[in-house]
Amino acid sequence: MTDLLLATRNPGKLVELRRMLDSAQIAGIRVLGLADLPPFPEEPETGATFAENALAKARDAAKATGLASVADDSGLAVDALGGMPGVLSARWSGRHGDDRANLELVLGQLADVPDERRGAAFVCAAALVVPGGEDIVVHGEWTGRLIREPRGTNGFGYDPIFVSDGEDRTSAELAPEEKDALSHRGRAMRALLPHLQALTGR
Amino acid sequence: MTDLLLATRNPGKLVELRRMLDSAQIAGIRVLGLADLPPFPEEPETGATFAENALAKARDAAKATGLASVADDSGLAVDALGGMPGVLSARWSGRHGDDRANLELVLGQLADVPDERRGAAFVCAAALVVPGGEDIVVHGEWTGRLIREPRGTNGFGYDPIFVSDGEDRTSAELAPEEKDALSHRGRAMRALLPHLQALTGR
């Protein structure tokens, strides 16, 4: 049995990553969360890109634990905000992890932005760091648009204001398995699966 | 005597534009503000670029008053925010015109951004619309960096956190004539001067 550490402290991300790995049913892998291990030092997320942050988190975790470690960094890239909040998505309002304040701020900033300029994409970089092995970074993107009032209670972050291309429901109104099939994180994790499967063959 | 209308309701901008035109001493031009005229309908600023907004404001004013009209749209483009707040500078916090809230939000968003990635530029587009004449749009840019605590009481907007290249003082610590010599708005207005001088020869 190979241990794989999901190196995230974001409860919403942890739920989704676990769910995706469970549904992928990779034989011979046991998934651990940070809560299953003693604490270790982590650097603050100050990278300029999702990939840089994901890799730094996975490296910190792999170094401290000796385990193969997966980390993700992800966020919302809003066209009318020049691609931001981007890597600052979790602290856009200046208050780290305050989903509601971050979402309300984006809505306020876009109050006068007309419907045809409300395009946005969720973007995810997922990194796998295997001690003594290669570092791998993959990307996933989910394109859509932002509405004017939050709707739905699933998911987290900006889900209540994001409507996927081809959908009328927000991503907080999608069932978990529907979200995973479309989402940036789902796409990135599927791109990572072959590398995770390869772990068990070591 | 040719009348020239400064089509701005931002008191900080009006002070600066008047000061620059006064110091340029263009013979034969009388400068009016919006407060000198009866009110007229103005479209909200929803353009995607400074130039689009400046031109729309100058056109609204020229159409309503029949006067040659100058308008500016300007803002702060922060490298680590993908060039934002940009056209949303005056309402970045979601509260239009709340300089302090907007500035504090940028500082909060940049709290973890290291010094070497705190570059920023003030950008200005200035438009001159002359009824029956050509529309002219010029640009000015002022490059520098953002500090972590506001300093100084001159100017307005993001001046207390912006330090020009080659300076140690914030733009809110510069004397008015020092700011005009360096600023985005000063550069744009100087680019507009030949066109303003040409007005008096009509």
Side-chain angles (χ1 to χ4, degrees), chain B residues 11-181:
Chain B
K13 286 184 184 178
L14 186 62
V15 164
E16 291 196 0
L17 292 170
R18 268 196 191 276
R19 185 171 73 212
M20 290 172 199
L21 287 173
D22 287 350
S23 77
Q25 296 187 305
I26 312 172
I29 282 197
R30 180 172 58 185
V31 176
L32 302 175
L34 288 171
D36 301 320
L37 296 166
F40 56 84
E42 293 169 88
E43 294 295 313
E45 264 174 60
T46 60
T49 64
F50 294 118
E52 216 178 304
N53 285 330
L55 202 47
K57 273 187 278 188
R59 280 184 180 148
D60 282 353
K63 192 175 161 192
T65 64
L67 299 178
S69 300
V70 168
D72 114 307
D73 192 38
S74 50
L76 183 67
V78 178
D79 295 350
L81 297 178
M84 302 304 292
V87 293
L88 302 180
S89 290
R91 54 195 137 156
W92 189 234
S93 63
R95 291 193 289 281
H96 200 294
D98 189 337
D99 282 4
R100 177 52 55 150
N102 292 331
L103 171 160
E104 294 290 350
L105 176 57
V106 168
L107 287 182
Q109 291 170 323
L110 267 60
D112 294 332
V113 173
D115 288 347
E116 64 274 19
R117 288 201 290 112
R118 297 179 72 91
F122 275 124
V123 180
C124 172
L128 168 65
V129 172
V130 183
E134 275 181 288
D135 296 344
I136 291 154
V137 180
V138 295
H139 289 87
E141 194 175 304
W142 188 13
T143 55
R145 64 190 186 282
L146 299 184
I147 57 171
R148 294 175 187 276
E149 294 288 341
R151 289 200 321 251
T153 53
N154 294 336
F156 62 99
Y158 300 92
D159 282 338
I161 58 171
F162 179 85
V163 172
S164 171
D165 289 341
E167 262 296 330
D168 292 317
R169 292 171 296 171
T170 68
S171 77
E173 293 175 315
L174 299 178
E177 59 278 11
E178 290 179 301
K179 183 182 176 191
D180 295 347

Side-chain angles (χ1 to χ4, degrees), chain A residues 74-78 81 84-95 97-107 109 120-122 142 145-147 149-152 154-163 170-172 179 184, chain B residues 109:
Chain A
S74 51
L76 183 67
V78 178
L81 297 178
M84 300 309 289
V87 293
L88 302 179
S89 289
R91 55 196 136 156
W92 189 234
S93 64
R95 293 193 287 282
D98 188 337
D99 283 3
R100 178 52 55 151
N102 293 332
L103 173 160
E104 293 290 352
L105 176 57
V106 167
L107 287 182
Q109 291 171 323
F122 275 124
W142 187 14
R145 63 190 187 283
L146 299 183
I147 56 171
E149 294 288 340
R151 290 200 320 251
N154 294 335
F156 61 100
Y158 299 92
D159 282 338
I161 57 170
F162 179 84
V163 172
T170 68
S171 77
K179 183 181 177 188
H184 54 311
Chain B
Q109 291 170 323

Side-chain angles (χ1 to χ4, degrees), chain A residues 32-70:
Chain A
L32 303 174
L34 289 172
D36 302 321
L37 296 166
F40 56 84
E42 293 168 88
E43 293 295 313
E45 264 175 60
T46 59
T49 64
F50 294 118
E52 216 177 304
N53 286 329
L55 202 48
K57 274 188 277 188
R59 279 184 181 150
D60 281 354
K63 192 176 163 192
T65 64
L67 299 178
S69 300
V70 168

Side-chain angles (χ1 to χ4, degrees), chain A residues 106-129:
Chain A
V106 167
L107 287 182
Q109 291 171 323
L110 266 60
D112 294 330
V113 174
D115 289 347
E116 65 272 20
R117 286 202 288 113
R118 297 178 73 91
F122 275 124
V123 181
C124 172
L128 169 65
V129 171

